[in-house]
Amino acid sequence: MDNSKPSAIPNLGQALSLLLIVFLLMLLFSALILMALGVNQTTLSNANGDHLAITIVGSMLFSYALLFYISKSYLRQNFLSQLNISLSSISLAIFLGLLAALFVLQLQSWFPASDSLQTSISQALNSEPWAVVLVFISVIIIAPIGEEYLFRGILFDSLNKQWSLLTATLLSSIIFTLFHLFEYHQYWVAWFAVFCLAVMLAILRHTSQSMLNPIAMHATYNATLLIIGSN
């Protein structure tokens, strides 16, 4: 990072606070959306795939929109300035995302999840076509942009500013994995894959000095898992 330029990188405490805010906002918006849809939030017994698709896209959209607003100084001074485009770098990012996803799919074939494992995304995919489209929008567009902004942007930069590159990469990847454990805690292949993906994304972000590359890799990874893994 060029220290001669204005920087709005938050300190570690601020970065962790933003992460906690996003997590709580997602819980809050999920609860409000489910309530508006008339779903019993205690048991989720009357929630169907359509309800879950609306909840996923709505909670992500509102939470990350508020994150961008709260951290608008970082957004303007750091994130937007690193959306530089290089055809070779983007091609590499897409290739790495595809390769990582195919490796995870192979792992899943070797070590399949139990039949009892049902994620909200897998349930939403078994619903109406419009709901499936909402899932694709949230997982391929909203999540890669929002998560890269938060984890490989704000969190990674704050860790790298205070400690070493190795520490920033490992800690941001561990926290990223914990962020997803609620959905995948019963399946070790999933959280192992999330951690490895996070490490690759952090390395790609640092080496390319571009936020667009990890976004492209993340989007390709998610798209491949959705398209091939759901068939």
mmCIF file of all heavy atoms in Angstrom, residues 18 21-22 25-26 29 57-72 75 142-143 145-147 149-150:
data_model
loop_
_atom_site.group_PDB
_atom_site.id
_atom_site.type_symbol
_atom_site.label_atom_id
_atom_site.label_comp_id
_atom_site.label_asym_id
_atom_site.label_seq_id
_atom_site.Cartn_x
_atom_site.Cartn_y
_atom_site.Cartn_z
ATOM 1 N N LEU A 18 -17.053 -3.808 12.375
ATOM 2 C CA LEU A 18 -17.822 -3.829 11.135
ATOM 3 C C LEU A 18 -18.250 -5.244 10.777
ATOM 4 O O LEU A 18 -19.374 -5.470 10.310
ATOM 5 C CB LEU A 18 -16.985 -3.230 9.999
ATOM 6 C CG LEU A 18 -16.799 -1.714 10.023
ATOM 7 C CD1 LEU A 18 -15.787 -1.281 8.963
ATOM 8 C CD2 LEU A 18 -18.126 -1.001 9.808
ATOM 9 N N ILE A 21 -21.086 -6.135 13.011
ATOM 10 C CA ILE A 21 -22.284 -5.410 12.577
ATOM 11 C C ILE A 21 -22.941 -6.106 11.393
ATOM 12 O O ILE A 21 -24.166 -6.284 11.349
ATOM 13 C CB ILE A 21 -21.924 -3.946 12.218
ATOM 14 C CG1 ILE A 21 -21.627 -3.152 13.486
ATOM 15 C CG2 ILE A 21 -23.058 -3.288 11.436
ATOM 16 C CD1 ILE A 21 -21.073 -1.766 13.227
ATOM 17 N N VAL A 22 -22.136 -6.523 10.415
ATOM 18 C CA VAL A 22 -22.679 -7.216 9.251
ATOM 19 C C VAL A 22 -23.351 -8.519 9.665
ATOM 20 O O VAL A 22 -24.455 -8.846 9.195
ATOM 21 C CB VAL A 22 -21.567 -7.497 8.210
ATOM 22 C CG1 VAL A 22 -22.073 -8.422 7.108
ATOM 23 C CG2 VAL A 22 -21.075 -6.202 7.611
ATOM 24 N N LEU A 25 -26.575 -7.670 11.386
ATOM 25 C CA LEU A 25 -27.538 -7.149 10.413
ATOM 26 C C LEU A 25 -28.149 -8.282 9.593
ATOM 27 O O LEU A 25 -29.361 -8.267 9.307
ATOM 28 C CB LEU A 25 -26.857 -6.153 9.480
ATOM 29 C CG LEU A 25 -26.604 -4.746 10.026
ATOM 30 C CD1 LEU A 25 -25.781 -3.931 9.030
ATOM 31 C CD2 LEU A 25 -27.912 -4.037 10.343
ATOM 32 N N MET A 26 -27.343 -9.266 9.222
ATOM 33 C CA MET A 26 -27.869 -10.391 8.461
ATOM 34 C C MET A 26 -28.891 -11.175 9.273
ATOM 35 O O MET A 26 -29.939 -11.588 8.757
ATOM 36 C CB MET A 26 -26.732 -11.301 8.010
ATOM 37 C CG MET A 26 -25.931 -10.747 6.856
ATOM 38 S SD MET A 26 -24.773 -11.941 6.168
ATOM 39 C CE MET A 26 -24.170 -11.031 4.736
ATOM 40 N N PHE A 29 -32.065 -8.775 9.501
ATOM 41 C CA PHE A 29 -32.837 -8.697 8.260
ATOM 42 C C PHE A 29 -33.468 -10.042 7.913
ATOM 43 O O PHE A 29 -34.585 -10.092 7.375
ATOM 44 C CB PHE A 29 -31.951 -8.208 7.118
ATOM 45 C CG PHE A 29 -31.671 -6.732 7.153
ATOM 46 C CD1 PHE A 29 -30.370 -6.258 7.153
ATOM 47 C CD2 PHE A 29 -32.712 -5.821 7.196
ATOM 48 C CE1 PHE A 29 -30.105 -4.890 7.186
ATOM 49 C CE2 PHE A 29 -32.459 -4.450 7.225
ATOM 50 C CZ PHE A 29 -31.155 -3.991 7.232
ATOM 51 N N VAL A 57 -31.292 -13.364 -0.384
ATOM 52 C CA VAL A 57 -30.929 -12.203 -1.213
ATOM 53 C C VAL A 57 -31.228 -10.907 -0.478
ATOM 54 O O VAL A 57 -30.448 -9.940 -0.548
ATOM 55 C CB VAL A 57 -31.652 -12.257 -2.584
ATOM 56 C CG1 VAL A 57 -33.131 -11.979 -2.441
ATOM 57 C CG2 VAL A 57 -31.010 -11.273 -3.564
ATOM 58 N N GLY A 58 -32.318 -10.861 0.275
ATOM 59 C CA GLY A 58 -32.669 -9.641 0.992
ATOM 60 C C GLY A 58 -31.706 -9.307 2.108
ATOM 61 O O GLY A 58 -31.268 -8.160 2.245
ATOM 62 N N SER A 59 -31.354 -10.307 2.921
ATOM 63 C CA SER A 59 -30.447 -10.067 4.047
ATOM 64 C C SER A 59 -29.060 -9.664 3.565
ATOM 65 O O SER A 59 -28.419 -8.774 4.133
ATOM 66 C CB SER A 59 -30.372 -11.308 4.938
ATOM 67 O OG SER A 59 -29.862 -12.424 4.226
ATOM 68 N N MET A 60 -28.582 -10.314 2.488
ATOM 69 C CA MET A 60 -27.274 -9.955 1.940
ATOM 70 C C MET A 60 -27.287 -8.533 1.374
ATOM 71 O O MET A 60 -26.390 -7.731 1.648
ATOM 72 C CB MET A 60 -26.877 -10.930 0.826
ATOM 73 C CG MET A 60 -26.346 -12.260 1.283
ATOM 74 S SD MET A 60 -25.694 -13.186 -0.133
ATOM 75 C CE MET A 60 -25.232 -14.723 0.669
ATOM 76 N N LEU A 61 -28.304 -8.236 0.583
ATOM 77 C CA LEU A 61 -28.377 -6.949 -0.099
ATOM 78 C C LEU A 61 -28.425 -5.788 0.892
ATOM 79 O O LEU A 61 -27.652 -4.828 0.790
ATOM 80 C CB LEU A 61 -29.598 -6.921 -1.010
ATOM 81 C CG LEU A 61 -29.720 -5.747 -1.982
ATOM 82 C CD1 LEU A 61 -28.539 -5.719 -2.939
ATOM 83 C CD2 LEU A 61 -31.030 -5.843 -2.756
ATOM 84 N N PHE A 62 -29.300 -5.882 1.872
ATOM 85 C CA PHE A 62 -29.448 -4.797 2.846
ATOM 86 C C PHE A 62 -28.214 -4.685 3.748
ATOM 87 O O PHE A 62 -27.770 -3.576 4.061
ATOM 88 C CB PHE A 62 -30.702 -5.015 3.695
ATOM 89 C CG PHE A 62 -31.987 -4.808 2.943
ATOM 90 C CD1 PHE A 62 -32.968 -5.783 2.946
ATOM 91 C CD2 PHE A 62 -32.210 -3.648 2.223
ATOM 92 C CE1 PHE A 62 -34.157 -5.605 2.250
ATOM 93 C CE2 PHE A 62 -33.390 -3.455 1.517
ATOM 94 C CZ PHE A 62 -34.375 -4.441 1.534
ATOM 95 N N SER A 63 -27.663 -5.822 4.174
ATOM 96 C CA SER A 63 -26.523 -5.807 5.096
ATOM 97 C C SER A 63 -25.288 -5.198 4.438
ATOM 98 O O SER A 63 -24.620 -4.342 5.026
ATOM 99 C CB SER A 63 -26.214 -7.223 5.578
ATOM 100 O OG SER A 63 -27.320 -7.774 6.276
ATOM 101 N N TYR A 64 -24.971 -5.643 3.222
ATOM 102 C CA TYR A 64 -23.776 -5.127 2.561
ATOM 103 C C TYR A 64 -23.973 -3.687 2.086
ATOM 104 O O TYR A 64 -23.010 -2.913 2.044
ATOM 105 C CB TYR A 64 -23.366 -6.042 1.412
ATOM 106 C CG TYR A 64 -22.748 -7.335 1.903
ATOM 107 C CD1 TYR A 64 -23.246 -8.571 1.510
ATOM 108 C CD2 TYR A 64 -21.671 -7.310 2.792
ATOM 109 C CE1 TYR A 64 -22.682 -9.751 1.969
ATOM 110 C CE2 TYR A 64 -21.117 -8.486 3.264
ATOM 111 C CZ TYR A 64 -21.622 -9.701 2.853
ATOM 112 O OH TYR A 64 -21.075 -10.868 3.324
ATOM 113 N N ALA A 65 -25.204 -3.314 1.739
ATOM 114 C CA ALA A 65 -25.466 -1.921 1.371
ATOM 115 C C ALA A 65 -25.187 -1.006 2.562
ATOM 116 O O ALA A 65 -24.574 0.062 2.414
ATOM 117 C CB ALA A 65 -26.906 -1.761 0.899
ATOM 118 N N LEU A 66 -25.617 -1.422 3.748
ATOM 119 C CA LEU A 66 -25.341 -0.632 4.947
ATOM 120 C C LEU A 66 -23.855 -0.618 5.274
ATOM 121 O O LEU A 66 -23.325 0.396 5.732
ATOM 122 C CB LEU A 66 -26.149 -1.179 6.128
ATOM 123 C CG LEU A 66 -27.624 -0.779 6.170
ATOM 124 C CD1 LEU A 66 -28.341 -1.478 7.316
ATOM 125 C CD2 LEU A 66 -27.770 0.730 6.303
ATOM 126 N N LEU A 67 -23.175 -1.747 5.038
ATOM 127 C CA LEU A 67 -21.727 -1.795 5.255
ATOM 128 C C LEU A 67 -21.019 -0.778 4.366
ATOM 129 O O LEU A 67 -20.130 -0.050 4.833
ATOM 130 C CB LEU A 67 -21.194 -3.197 4.977
ATOM 131 C CG LEU A 67 -19.660 -3.338 4.967
ATOM 132 C CD1 LEU A 67 -19.082 -3.048 6.355
ATOM 133 C CD2 LEU A 67 -19.252 -4.727 4.496
ATOM 134 N N PHE A 68 -21.387 -0.730 3.095
ATOM 135 C CA PHE A 68 -20.776 0.233 2.176
ATOM 136 C C PHE A 68 -21.011 1.663 2.659
ATOM 137 O O PHE A 68 -20.115 2.509 2.569
ATOM 138 C CB PHE A 68 -21.347 0.070 0.764
ATOM 139 C CG PHE A 68 -20.945 -1.209 0.086
ATOM 140 C CD1 PHE A 68 -21.812 -1.857 -0.784
ATOM 141 C CD2 PHE A 68 -19.702 -1.781 0.310
ATOM 142 C CE1 PHE A 68 -21.450 -3.035 -1.407
ATOM 143 C CE2 PHE A 68 -19.325 -2.953 -0.307
ATOM 144 C CZ PHE A 68 -20.205 -3.585 -1.174
ATOM 145 N N TYR A 69 -22.208 1.919 3.177
ATOM 146 C CA TYR A 69 -22.526 3.272 3.650
ATOM 147 C C TYR A 69 -21.718 3.619 4.902
ATOM 148 O O TYR A 69 -21.137 4.706 5.000
ATOM 149 C CB TYR A 69 -24.019 3.395 3.943
ATOM 150 C CG TYR A 69 -24.397 4.743 4.499
ATOM 151 C CD1 TYR A 69 -24.485 5.859 3.678
ATOM 152 C CD2 TYR A 69 -24.648 4.897 5.870
ATOM 153 C CE1 TYR A 69 -24.814 7.101 4.193
ATOM 154 C CE2 TYR A 69 -24.973 6.139 6.390
ATOM 155 C CZ TYR A 69 -25.062 7.235 5.546
ATOM 156 O OH TYR A 69 -25.372 8.468 6.066
ATOM 157 N N ILE A 70 -21.657 2.688 5.843
ATOM 158 C CA ILE A 70 -20.940 2.933 7.097
ATOM 159 C C ILE A 70 -19.457 3.165 6.839
ATOM 160 O O ILE A 70 -18.818 4.003 7.481
ATOM 161 C CB ILE A 70 -21.135 1.744 8.066
ATOM 162 C CG1 ILE A 70 -22.594 1.637 8.500
ATOM 163 C CG2 ILE A 70 -20.242 1.898 9.297
ATOM 164 C CD1 ILE A 70 -22.906 0.366 9.272
ATOM 165 N N SER A 71 -18.898 2.431 5.889
ATOM 166 C CA SER A 71 -17.453 2.500 5.610
ATOM 167 C C SER A 71 -17.181 3.232 4.303
ATOM 168 O O SER A 71 -16.259 2.872 3.563
ATOM 169 C CB SER A 71 -16.869 1.088 5.553
ATOM 170 O OG SER A 71 -17.513 0.321 4.548
ATOM 171 N N LYS A 72 -17.962 4.254 3.999
ATOM 172 C CA LYS A 72 -17.859 4.922 2.698
ATOM 173 C C LYS A 72 -16.493 5.566 2.464
ATOM 174 O O LYS A 72 -16.067 5.707 1.316
ATOM 175 C CB LYS A 72 -18.972 5.947 2.527
ATOM 176 C CG LYS A 72 -19.115 6.972 3.611
ATOM 177 C CD LYS A 72 -20.325 7.869 3.313
ATOM 178 C CE LYS A 72 -20.547 8.897 4.417
ATOM 179 N NZ LYS A 72 -21.009 8.264 5.661
ATOM 180 N N LEU A 75 -14.462 2.786 1.180
ATOM 181 C CA LEU A 75 -14.991 2.455 -0.143
ATOM 182 C C LEU A 75 -14.433 3.387 -1.208
ATOM 183 O O LEU A 75 -13.958 2.938 -2.261
ATOM 184 C CB LEU A 75 -16.526 2.544 -0.111
ATOM 185 C CG LEU A 75 -17.263 2.350 -1.446
ATOM 186 C CD1 LEU A 75 -17.094 0.929 -1.939
ATOM 187 C CD2 LEU A 75 -18.739 2.695 -1.302
ATOM 188 N N ILE A 142 -23.847 -10.720 -5.299
ATOM 189 C CA ILE A 142 -23.849 -9.971 -4.035
ATOM 190 C C ILE A 142 -22.794 -10.485 -3.066
ATOM 191 O O ILE A 142 -22.017 -9.696 -2.503
ATOM 192 C CB ILE A 142 -25.242 -10.013 -3.379
ATOM 193 C CG1 ILE A 142 -26.304 -9.447 -4.327
ATOM 194 C CG2 ILE A 142 -25.228 -9.225 -2.059
ATOM 195 C CD1 ILE A 142 -27.720 -9.567 -3.805
ATOM 196 N N ALA A 143 -22.746 -11.803 -2.848
ATOM 197 C CA ALA A 143 -21.809 -12.371 -1.871
ATOM 198 C C ALA A 143 -20.340 -12.127 -2.247
ATOM 199 O O ALA A 143 -19.561 -11.684 -1.398
ATOM 200 C CB ALA A 143 -22.079 -13.867 -1.690
ATOM 201 N N ILE A 145 -18.968 -9.735 -4.024
ATOM 202 C CA ILE A 145 -18.628 -8.319 -3.863
ATOM 203 C C ILE A 145 -18.602 -7.941 -2.381
ATOM 204 O O ILE A 145 -17.631 -7.343 -1.889
ATOM 205 C CB ILE A 145 -19.627 -7.425 -4.623
ATOM 206 C CG1 ILE A 145 -19.512 -7.665 -6.125
ATOM 207 C CG2 ILE A 145 -19.375 -5.948 -4.297
ATOM 208 C CD1 ILE A 145 -20.558 -6.933 -6.955
ATOM 209 N N GLY A 146 -19.653 -8.288 -1.650
ATOM 210 C CA GLY A 146 -19.738 -7.925 -0.236
ATOM 211 C C GLY A 146 -18.682 -8.592 0.619
ATOM 212 O O GLY A 146 -18.047 -7.944 1.458
ATOM 213 N N GLU A 147 -18.469 -9.888 0.412
ATOM 214 C CA GLU A 147 -17.506 -10.620 1.235
ATOM 215 C C GLU A 147 -16.074 -10.225 0.922
ATOM 216 O O GLU A 147 -15.243 -10.151 1.829
ATOM 217 C CB GLU A 147 -17.719 -12.124 1.068
ATOM 218 C CG GLU A 147 -19.019 -12.614 1.686
ATOM 219 C CD GLU A 147 -19.205 -14.118 1.561
ATOM 220 O OE1 GLU A 147 -18.349 -14.778 0.931
ATOM 221 O OE2 GLU A 147 -20.205 -14.624 2.103
ATOM 222 N N TYR A 149 -15.137 -7.298 -0.179
ATOM 223 C CA TYR A 149 -15.001 -5.947 0.387
ATOM 224 C C TYR A 149 -14.716 -6.018 1.887
ATOM 225 O O TYR A 149 -13.848 -5.300 2.402
ATOM 226 C CB TYR A 149 -16.282 -5.157 0.134
ATOM 227 C CG TYR A 149 -16.282 -3.762 0.711
ATOM 228 C CD1 TYR A 149 -15.636 -2.722 0.043
ATOM 229 C CD2 TYR A 149 -16.923 -3.476 1.913
ATOM 230 C CE1 TYR A 149 -15.632 -1.443 0.564
ATOM 231 C CE2 TYR A 149 -16.925 -2.199 2.437
ATOM 232 C CZ TYR A 149 -16.276 -1.183 1.761
ATOM 233 O OH TYR A 149 -16.262 0.089 2.281
ATOM 234 N N LEU A 150 -15.435 -6.910 2.578
ATOM 235 C CA LEU A 150 -15.299 -7.008 4.027
ATOM 236 C C LEU A 150 -14.057 -7.772 4.454
ATOM 237 O O LEU A 150 -13.296 -7.314 5.315
ATOM 238 C CB LEU A 150 -16.549 -7.672 4.614
ATOM 239 C CG LEU A 150 -16.585 -7.902 6.129
ATOM 240 C CD1 LEU A 150 -16.414 -6.585 6.878
ATOM 241 C CD2 LEU A 150 -17.893 -8.578 6.528
#
